[in-house]
Amino acid sequence: MNLQQRDSAHIWHPLTQHKLHPFAMPIVKAKGAVLYDENGKEYLDAVSSWYTAMYGHCNDFIIERAHKQMQQLDQIIFSGFTHEPAVELSEKLMAILPENQAKLMFNDNGSTATEIGIKMALQYHDNKGNQRKTLLAFENGFHGDTLGAMSVSGLSVYNGPFEEFFIDVKRIPLPDGENETEILRKIDDFHAGSPLAGFIYEPLVQGAAGMKMYKAEHLEAILQKCQKLEIITVADEVMTGFGKTGSFFASDHIKTKPDVICLSKALTAGLVPMGITTCTQTVFDAFYDDDIGKGLFHAHTYSGNPIACATAIAGIELLQSEEIQQNIKKIETWHQEFAEKIKDHPKVRSTRQQGVIFALELNIAMERYGDLRYKIFDFCMKEGVFLRPLGETIYILAPFVTTKIQMEKIYDTIKKVLDRF
Ligand SMILES: Cc1ncc(COP(=O)(O)O)c(C=O)c1O
């Protein structure tokens, strides 16, 4: 049996209807922006393996740091214990996060990062004796696949069996510069009907929705309104964090800073999983009490894992390096040039860009998990480029170390898709 057959014997893959798509694609090696299959065929990872491996796969600097840490301290319960990599990471993160962030809680992935953000918002009010059981979120947002995270995700298409268990969530559309008054009125109405505990949002770019983008200035009034009403603002930076939007965090582009920030994905540079949820001193203080029950009793076994922390520290050092900062600027310019070249193609409805995130809206009707989507995926893989269309959107979120020649190949493959489909 080959790897594919052995895989299908036991493995249940994420986001997969196995009856329709029984086989997964074996990858045996990865380096920089390149993935290799069993036959040695190369594929450019144009989506950084779900936006994680931003400094390139199997990055020597990161591996060396993780390896060093493995020989020193592998794992220790983080309830009641601490260690140098966790403390150093907390200091390094606080130095680059928006100034109002003061405390952080470790967890395991993007969904747990947002789940904790949601719990912080709900329990903040509970601890204060406020009756606030409802959350506010954008239509079409995505915040993960655990039950709380699913509740706030307007996007999830196949939520049917779980909806009756969801937290009560009210939804507002993305701000577009024209609907501000209507959105603010909606928030007031919702709040009057069922007081809102928190507002969770993906700042500037809604990843899973198809890299939908909106302007920083259009979010300002919403955040101000929430903070005025003491609705805890939770920025889900799981996708947008760590340089992708052209600054360390998408929240850097926005004047009003969130009360809570959720991090994961590129946090650990694609090497190991980890999530972190940060918050302001004010949020933390609402849990600081003689009453033990007012604490945030949330833990994951691998919270603050030393190897993950060492990896994250190495990632932040790379992010701050001159080389990566220069690469980010270069990629921004290449994308702008590509957009200019491609924008009048009859199959292109529109293009958009925020930092190194580039998205192209196809003028072709395509279902999110429909046949055409899989055909385009297969075609790109044959061309040696891993692209993952989301609905009618094709996007590029390639590692910061992608070279000009590699990026040209990604662009050429997209052009071929446009000419062919
Ligand atoms: C904005 C956002 N939040 C949360 C998540 C969930 O992260 P994870 O898949 O690590 O649970 C994702 C995943 O794509 C995401 O894009």
Side-chain angles (χ1 to χ4, degrees):
M1 279 209 291
N2 64 23
L3 199 58
Q4 230 173 22
Q5 290 158 334
R6 282 167 53 212
D7 170 281
S8 66
H10 301 297
I11 297 179
W12 193 340
H13 283 268
L15 303 182
T16 303
Q17 171 48 273
H18 281 263
K19 186 157 189 200
L20 298 177
H21 303 104
F23 294 117
M25 161 106 204
I27 292 294
V28 296
K29 195 175 112 175
K31 189 77 190 165
V34 185
L35 307 169
Y36 299 83
D37 73 11
E38 288 175 305
N39 304 315
K41 182 170 162 63
E42 300 183 8
Y43 307 88
L44 288 171
D45 187 352
V47 301
S48 303
S49 286
W50 261 339
Y51 344 128
T52 56
M54 295 310 296
Y55 314 103
H57 287 275
C58 294
N59 182 294
D60 291 335
F61 177 72
I62 291 177
I63 289 174
E64 192 198 318
R65 289 293 191 82
H67 185 237
K68 207 166 156 205
Q69 183 55 44
M70 274 176 193
Q71 294 165 315
Q72 177 73 26
L73 175 67
D74 52 353
Q75 164 70 354
I76 173 74
I77 295 173
F78 208 61
S79 179
F81 292 86
T82 194
H83 49 78
E84 176 65 29
V87 175
E88 189 184 339
L89 175 56
S90 71
E91 292 161 352
K92 283 224 148 66
L93 261 181
M94 288 305 162
I96 58 169
L97 278 165
E99 268 172 28
N100 68 342
Q101 299 301 295
K103 299 281 180 186
L104 61 81
M105 185 176 258
F106 287 103
N107 47 81
D108 291 349
N109 56 66
S111 303
T112 54
T114 56
E115 198 79 23
I116 290 178
I118 291 165
K119 286 170 86 170
M120 281 179 178
L122 290 170
Q123 195 181 337
Y124 171 92
H125 287 290
D126 197 69
N127 281 358
K128 287 178 162 250
N130 300 337
Q131 281 300 311
R132 298 198 187 194
K133 310 286 179 203
T134 302
L135 295 169
L136 182 69
F138 281 132
E139 290 158 4
N140 294 329
F142 181 73
H143 303 285
D145 281 335
T146 51
L147 267 176
M150 275 172 93
S151 307
V152 284
S153 299
L155 177 79
S156 305
V157 221
Y158 306 115
N159 273 348
F162 310 105
E163 275 164 13
E164 64 184 298
F165 306 108
F166 282 0
I167 299 165
D168 184 31
V169 178
K170 304 287 183 219
R171 300 202 181 278
I172 48 174
L174 275 193
D176 59 12
E178 286 174 10
N179 56 4
E180 182 182 304
T181 318
E182 183 206 332
I183 293 176
L184 297 182
R185 186 187 45 74
K186 272 192 166 184
I187 297 175
D188 277 330
D189 289 352
F190 290 147
H191 193 61
S194 172
L196 298 166
F199 167 50
I200 185 161
Y201 61 101
E202 292 160 273
L204 303 192
V205 189
Q206 290 187 309
M211 301 298 154
K212 293 268 166 347
M213 298 179 190
Y214 61 98
K215 291 203 169 74
E217 63 260 33
H218 297 155
L219 185 61
E220 231 44 90
I222 299 176
L223 293 180
Q224 282 166 18
K225 160 73 81 187
C226 287
Q227 293 187 348
K228 198 162 155 230
L229 298 172
E230 212 185 341
I231 298 166
I232 301 296
T233 50
V234 181
D236 177 355
E237 294 243 17
V238 166
M239 193 285 286
T240 51
F242 303 97
K244 298 183 197 106
T245 63
S247 59
F248 288 155
F249 300 97
S251 296
D252 297 339
H253 298 279
I254 303 156
K255 278 198 215 85
T256 311
K257 304 302 176 197
D259 303 306
V260 172
I261 301 181
C262 312
L263 305 170
S264 189
K265 293 195 184 270
L267 165 67
T268 36
L271 195 75
V272 284
M274 182 158 83
I276 288 183
T277 312
T278 74
C279 68
T280 59
Q281 188 67 42
T282 310
V283 170
F284 180 80
D285 286 346
F287 293 75
Y288 190 76
D289 201 277
D290 292 325
D291 178 355
I292 194 164
K294 287 199 171 174
L296 183 50
F297 270 71
H298 186 118
H300 295 284
T301 308
Y302 281 95
S303 292
N305 171 261
I307 300 160
C309 290
T311 304
I313 294 167
I316 292 173
E317 286 177 22
L318 286 182
L319 178 65
Q320 289 177 305
S321 70
E322 190 53 33
E323 188 188 338
I324 293 294
Q325 287 301 315
Q326 287 303 327
N327 287 1
I328 290 174
K329 291 203 183 77
K330 277 191 226 159
I331 295 174
E332 284 177 349
T333 313
W334 301 339
H335 285 347
Q336 281 156 12
E337 289 164 4
F338 177 57
E340 207 39 53
K341 278 189 204 143
I342 207 83
K343 70 180 185 356
D344 295 325
H345 192 289
K347 300 269 181 63
V348 175
R349 193 177 305 142
S350 59
T351 65
R352 51 185 178 271
Q353 184 185 345
Q354 174 70 53
V356 303
I357 309 170
F358 174 83
L360 181 154
E361 205 69 28
L362 291 171
N363 228 341
I364 309 171
M366 188 154 73
E367 277 176 46
R368 196 168 175 91
Y369 294 103
D371 277 354
L372 185 56
R373 182 245 183 229
Y374 288 95
K375 278 193 187 130
I376 292 181
F377 169 82
D378 288 341
F379 173 80
C380 295
M381 288 301 270
K382 281 203 185 85
E383 292 290 316
V385 176
F386 169 31
L387 281 159
R388 206 174 170 275
L390 287 170
E392 284 158 12
T393 306
I394 293 188
Y395 71 94
I396 307 173
L397 185 33
F400 300 138
V401 295
T402 307
T403 63
K404 179 97 201 271
I405 291 172
Q406 290 172 326
M407 200 65 91
E408 289 294 346
K409 178 159 183 181
I410 297 172
Y411 296 147
D412 282 347
T413 304
I414 292 179
K415 275 193 235 146
K416 285 184 187 164
V417 168
L418 296 175
D419 293 339
R420 189 180 175 113
F421 290 92

